[in-house]
Amino acid sequence: MRRGALLFMFSLSAVLHAAAFEDIAANAEAVSYQAEKAELRYESGLIALEQSGLDDRTDYSVSFRLDPVDGDGEVINVSDLTFSVTLPDDDTTFSASVPFAVRYDAEGALISPSLSARHVFDWGRDDETLKELQTESSRLSVNREYSSDMLSLRLSVIDSISAILSNEKSIREEEETLRDLQRILSSDLELGNITKDSLLYQESMLGVKRSEDRLGILQDEREELLKRFSSLCGLPWDGVTDIPFPSFPDIMAAETSSELEEADIYARIAEEEYLLELSRQNPERLSVGISADSYKYLGRGLAINPLNENDSVSVLGELGWESRSWDLSLSGGVILDDDYSASPVLSVSGTWHSDAASESDALTLRSLQNTAEMRRGEYLDMRRSFEETGRELWNRIISWRRNFAEVEAEIEYQTALLDNARLRYERGLIPEEDLHDASFELDNLMIDRSVLLLEGLSLETEIDMQIL
């Protein structure tokens, strides 16, 4: 696994300080079970693609038959010793064989080598285009699923960090609310505005209790969020730094995606399946073949032929035509005997059959045609959806940029307010509480900025998944 080198990429000192966002994301990729499953599926998919490619190859075969004892035990007969080659186009076959017999008493042997080749010219539709489309579809699917899984993992990391930061802000705000309630209650008691046996005191205490309960719930939520983060990213949470500014792809310029391309391929596959079935029901094939056979007796002497066999050589050719309505085959050649006399041979055969499509064939074609039309319709629907989603994502980019600009302006303004409050506090013009409030507001805005940057990264990742 390529993640192995990243598994222990963070030292002890790294977990004691806030980690950069990209380091957190990389460590999550290194340790996540989700990433491991994605890589296993990816590798399995590549293996399957490689296996499918092995089908398009030259095939070889060798076969033989041996009869050690034949009849009275005087003959060893080796027959069907054959070698054949089938070329990758599945239409051309070459074969050669050397059957022969040998007697135990060595009086003689008969050998009969042969050679043949055959090729089919198919003017119908072959399945090469279909195989290529299926392979390309599988390849797109394997790559897209892997990339989608890794982008989903990145989204999970972003969501986890964003949830922790939002929770931290809520805890800070609730702690501030509780602090204010307790301070006001203490001040009212000191000033004598309320007494502990008064109804106002009970109402104030109820407000304090409710704030404490909300704070407890938020702290419990934080513990759960931290556990999820640690499980997902393989790190304890200690803050995040260097959240990158999102780099949004030009979604409006994107014209297609791997998912859209795969839908188009599905439609083309359905069309090919229809055309192949149509071609199967309306064949147009020309087959051409040639073969040569010979019989040669080998004895102890040139004049000895105890097997009483005649040597011969034959060369034959064949020509065949297959169509929907009729089939015709023509074979012929010449046979040469051991005295060199030639004997021509010729055979003609034909078959006529009705060209009316069977009800089953017609239904099969109709079904495949409907499937092709539906697939094409699904592709067009997906393209419309792709374009609509692109416009929606573009609007979200505009909205995000507007929100981020507003937060940046607020941070600039609040920074100026804090600087002013610090000067006024140093001069004794404002109480420490006012300085605390200004600092608190700026800290909250900085958290808002981090969360907004994470939202931008999340949007960037969604766009990457859209145009993947």
Side-chain angles (χ1 to χ4, degrees):
M1 297 290 179
R2 63 182 177 83
R3 304 188 324 279
L6 298 173
L7 188 56
F8 299 104
M9 62 177 295
F10 287 96
S11 64
L12 180 60
S13 61
V15 301
L16 298 178
H17 305 282
F21 170 81
E22 291 298 345
D23 290 340
I24 293 175
N27 203 70
E29 182 178 335
V31 303
S32 171
Y33 179 57
Q34 179 180 341
E36 183 179 358
K37 290 194 299 183
E39 290 201 3
L40 288 173
R41 284 196 296 268
Y42 180 66
E43 291 175 6
S44 298
L46 292 181
I47 292 173
L49 282 172
E50 186 176 351
Q51 289 176 332
S52 67
L54 296 178
D55 293 335
D56 190 17
R57 67 188 189 280
T58 300
D59 290 327
Y60 306 90
S61 67
V62 178
S63 62
F64 76 95
R65 177 181 173 182
L66 171 63
D67 297 315
V69 179
D70 185 5
D72 56 6
E74 294 180 352
V75 176
I76 292 179
N77 183 27
V78 179
S79 60
D80 296 331
L81 180 59
T82 304
F83 170 77
S84 66
V85 179
T86 301
L87 301 182
D89 60 6
D90 295 328
D91 294 329
T92 302
T93 302
F94 168 82
S95 65
S97 61
V98 189
F100 60 91
V102 180
R103 287 184 180 277
Y104 284 124
D105 57 12
E107 288 185 351
L110 175 68
I111 65 172
S112 55
S114 66
L115 180 69
S116 66
R118 186 172 185 271
H119 183 79
V120 177
F121 298 92
D122 193 340
W123 282 279
R125 203 171 190 88
D126 61 34
D127 61 353
E128 289 304 310
T129 300
L130 178 62
K131 289 180 179 179
E132 291 174 0
L133 290 173
Q134 290 171 335
T135 299
E136 181 61 21
S137 173
S138 298
R139 191 180 307 280
L140 282 172
S141 179
V142 167
N143 291 329
R144 188 186 70 254
E145 287 180 2
Y146 175 74
S147 298
S148 179
D149 286 341
M150 302 310 293
L151 289 173
S152 295
L153 175 59
R154 184 176 177 86
L155 277 178
S156 297
V157 173
I158 293 171
D159 291 343
S160 179
I161 297 175
S162 181
I164 291 175
L165 292 179
S166 297
N167 171 265
E168 286 182 352
K169 180 183 176 183
S170 297
I171 289 177
R172 282 171 46 83
E173 291 176 338
E174 196 59 50
E175 287 176 340
E176 188 73 6
T177 298
L178 179 59
R179 175 177 172 274
D180 289 342
L181 289 173
Q182 291 173 335
R183 179 176 55 82
I184 292 172
L185 178 60
S186 178
S187 176
D188 286 342
L189 286 172
E190 289 179 1
L191 295 174
N193 293 333
I194 59 174
T195 60
K196 290 186 177 181
D197 58 353
S198 67
L199 183 60
L200 287 176
Y201 175 80
Q202 297 298 323
E203 290 178 355
S204 297
M205 286 299 298
L206 179 61
V208 171
K209 180 63 170 59
R210 286 174 175 172
S211 179
E212 289 174 340
D213 290 343
R214 289 192 296 269
L215 184 59
I217 292 173
L218 288 171
Q219 289 172 340
D220 290 341
E221 181 185 85
R222 174 180 172 79
E223 292 300 318
E224 182 63 28
L225 291 173
L226 294 183
K227 290 179 182 178
R228 293 179 184 177
F229 173 85
S230 180
S231 175
L232 176 65
C233 302
L235 291 169
W237 171 259
D238 196 35
V240 60
T241 62
D242 300 329
I243 301 175
F245 193 86
S247 177
F248 299 113
D250 189 357
I251 184 64
M252 297 305 293
E255 297 181 353
T256 187
S257 66
S258 61
E259 187 174 14
L260 201 57
E261 290 175 2
E262 191 173 358
D264 178 53
I265 290 176
Y266 282 154
R268 292 164 61 190
I269 286 175
E271 293 170 1
E272 279 296 318
E273 289 174 341
Y274 167 76
L275 294 174
L276 281 172
E277 178 61 21
L278 184 63
S279 178
R280 185 192 69 79
Q281 295 185 21
N282 298 273
E284 291 184 12
R285 300 185 187 95
L286 175 66
S287 59
V288 179
I290 186 171
S291 62
D293 302 273
S294 66
Y295 295 90
K296 178 65 177 176
Y297 173 73
L298 301 176
R300 290 183 302 174
L302 296 178
I304 301 175
N305 191 343
L307 297 178
N308 296 318
E309 296 287 351
N310 294 323
D311 297 341
S312 67
V313 176
S314 65
V315 179
L316 301 174
E318 64 170 297
L319 185 67
W321 173 260
E322 179 186 356
S323 69
R324 183 178 185 84
S325 302
W326 51 274
D327 302 334
L328 179 65
S329 63
L330 175 66
S331 63
V334 63
I335 298 176
L336 299 174
D337 294 330
D338 55 356
D339 58 357
Y340 300 105
S341 61
S343 302
V345 293
L346 179 65
S347 175
V348 180
S349 63
T351 304
W352 177 87
H353 43 82
S354 173
D355 62 354
S358 69
E359 183 177 355
S360 176
D361 287 345
L363 291 175
T364 299
L365 277 178
R366 183 58 181 168
S367 176
L368 291 173
Q369 188 176 30
N370 289 341
T371 300
E373 292 174 357
M374 287 189 294
R375 291 273 179 84
R376 182 53 57 184
E378 290 170 359
Y379 165 74
L380 294 175
D381 289 341
M382 287 185 65
R383 172 160 288 284
R384 284 190 291 268
S385 177
F386 175 83
E387 293 171 353
E388 291 172 1
T389 302
R391 288 190 291 269
E392 292 173 1
L393 290 171
W394 173 250
N395 290 332
R396 288 175 59 188
I397 292 174
I398 298 300
S399 177
W400 182 89
R401 286 173 173 166
R402 185 186 306 113
N403 292 337
F404 189 80
E406 291 175 356
V407 169
E408 290 280 74
E410 289 182 18
I411 289 175
E412 184 178 359
Y413 174 71
Q414 194 63 39
T415 300
L417 284 181
L418 178 59
D419 292 340
N420 181 264
R422 187 176 291 112
L423 289 174
R424 295 176 66 190
Y425 172 74
E426 291 173 352
R427 296 174 181 175
L429 298 177
I430 59 173
E432 183 180 356
E433 189 66 28
D434 289 351
L435 179 62
H436 170 81
D437 290 344
S439 177
F440 180 82
E441 289 299 326
L442 181 59
D443 289 343
N444 273 356
L445 283 172
M446 295 305 294
I447 294 177
D448 288 341
R449 183 181 186 276
S450 294
V451 171
L452 199 55
L453 281 174
L454 290 169
E455 290 178 358
L457 293 178
S458 179
L459 179 56
E460 175 190 331
T461 306
E462 287 185 50
I463 296 173
D464 287 338
M465 296 178 72
Q466 166 71 3
I467 62 178
L468 181 65

